[in-house]
Amino acid sequence: MAWKKNILMQSYGSQLLLILLLPCGLMDVILTVNNNIQDYVLQTTPGTSESLRCAVQNHSQEEELLWYREDGKVDLQDENKINSSDICIYPVSVDDNEVTFTCVLQRNQSMNISVTLNVTYEPILEGTDLQTVEEGSNVKIDCNVQSNPQAQMTWYVNNSILNLEKDRHQIYQTSELFQLSISDVLKSDNGTYSCYAYSPLKLEIKDFHLIIKDKKITVPIEPIITAVVVVVLTILFGLFARRKKIMKLCIKDKKSQSDTSL
């Protein structure tokens, strides 16, 4: 039993030593991105070029690095993986806003550092320029918006702030949509509706033209067809019900003509 205990103690001792030694190899290793030792936010604008350099500091051996864009792995050349690694983002676009790039130590991926892009840009407004609807119908005007920082939105009509009527107007807003709904449109709703986006960078305006046309007087085809069918069927049923009487009259007429000829 004693020799078994010695073997167990040696085994546990070796595992403990290994556990103690592993962190030592990483204890002094530090990852930096552009000389930053912690996660940070990089301020940038569309159309610019941004370079990110990840480096292993205080390494005692060759360290391989990995880069991720969000959850997707970035392809790197072999010579751009060891001890330091560079990636370039060009051109920066509005779609890169809030995207995170992460540099990871390959042999211990719990050691990593991230950079999140904050792409600031003027408001971008889009939507259908012209809508034509009938009087009495409902309409929605969608102003699609992208902006960083987020813009303050307002609706104008014919160059004046839109006076919202509780029972007819409704506004729905998200970070990417500024929507105006109008119920039971009137001829007076005809005009130009303007989507105003107030940003610290710029005031952006987009016009939407709404044309209200007269309501068409539609002929109720289905009720007319139904009425015609009912009339025709009534006549047919009437003729069918009187067929015996009609046949008797026809026979009597023929008999009268026969008697006359004699």
Side-chain angles (χ1 to χ4, degrees):
M1 292 295 293
W3 64 271
K4 287 185 177 179
K5 284 186 177 181
N6 288 335
I7 292 175
L8 288 172
M9 290 296 292
Q10 289 176 7
S11 176
Y12 290 142
S14 299
Q15 293 178 14
L16 180 61
L17 181 62
L18 183 62
I19 292 170
L20 291 173
L21 287 176
L22 277 174
C24 291
L26 297 172
M27 189 67 74
D28 297 327
V29 172
I30 298 174
L31 283 185
T32 63
V33 172
N34 293 359
N35 297 321
N36 292 280
I37 62 174
Q38 294 181 337
D39 297 348
Y40 72 101
V41 175
L42 176 61
Q43 305 291 335
T44 186
T45 55
T48 58
S49 175
E50 297 293 347
S51 296
L52 302 178
R53 164 164 284 193
C54 181
V56 185
Q57 309 292 340
N58 304 328
H59 57 88
S60 58
Q61 64 183 58
E62 298 294 287
E63 298 287 0
E64 183 176 344
L65 297 170
L66 307 173
W67 273 105
Y68 287 88
R69 185 186 191 276
E70 296 293 324
D71 297 327
K73 192 175 180 180
V74 178
D75 291 331
L76 300 172
Q77 299 292 330
D78 290 339
E79 61 272 17
N80 189 28
K81 294 180 179 180
I82 306 302
N83 297 333
S84 69
S85 181
D86 297 273
I87 61 172
C88 180
I89 308 160
Y90 177 79
V92 173
S93 72
V94 296
D95 294 330
D96 292 319
N97 188 45
E98 297 185 350
V99 170
T100 297
F101 292 85
T102 304
C103 179
V104 178
L105 193 69
Q106 195 276 337
R107 69 183 176 102
N108 181 10
Q109 298 195 15
S110 65
M111 183 169 288
N112 57 73
I113 184 170
S114 296
V115 181
T116 301
L117 302 186
N118 182 32
V119 185
T120 57
Y121 54 95
E122 299 169 352
I124 301 171
L125 305 180
E126 296 178 341
T128 303
D129 296 336
L130 174 66
Q131 290 192 69
T132 302
V133 297
E134 289 185 1
E135 187 177 6
S137 60
N138 301 329
V139 67
K140 290 182 179 180
I141 305 175
D142 291 343
C143 180
N144 300 307
V145 56
Q146 287 182 285
S147 179
N148 186 32
Q150 188 169 343
Q152 180 181 349
M153 309 298 295
T154 306
W155 279 108
Y156 278 65
V157 58
N158 299 326
N159 298 319
S160 298
I161 293 179
L162 177 63
N163 182 25
L164 299 176
E165 297 179 25
K166 184 177 179 181
D167 296 332
R168 294 203 314 119
H169 296 109
Q170 186 175 2
I171 288 179
Y172 173 75
Q173 184 173 8
T174 67
S175 60
E176 297 182 349
L177 176 65
F178 189 53
Q179 182 186 80
L180 171 64
S181 299
I182 308 175
S183 302
D184 299 322
V185 292
L186 308 172
K187 277 297 189 70
S188 58
D189 292 320
N190 193 82
T192 299
Y193 291 78
S194 302
C195 178
Y196 276 60
Y198 298 90
S199 164
L201 303 178
K202 183 183 179 182
L203 166 63
E204 190 68 32
I205 304 171
K206 179 169 179 57
D207 292 335
F208 298 86
H209 304 286
L210 182 62
I211 298 175
I212 312 300
K213 61 182 182 179
D214 292 334
K215 190 172 183 178
K216 292 180 180 178
I217 300 175
T218 56
V219 178
I221 301 297
E222 291 185 2
I224 291 175
I225 293 174
T226 302
V228 170
V229 170
V230 170
V231 170
V232 171
L233 289 176
T234 302
I235 293 171
L236 290 175
F237 283 131
L239 291 173
F240 182 77
R242 298 180 61 189
R243 73 187 186 284
K244 290 184 178 181
K245 186 175 181 180
I246 293 172
M247 290 176 67
K248 285 181 180 180
L249 288 174
C250 290
I251 293 170
K252 185 177 181 181
D253 288 343
K254 286 182 179 180
K255 187 176 181 181
S256 297
Q257 290 175 5
S258 176
D259 294 341
T260 304
S261 62
L262 291 175

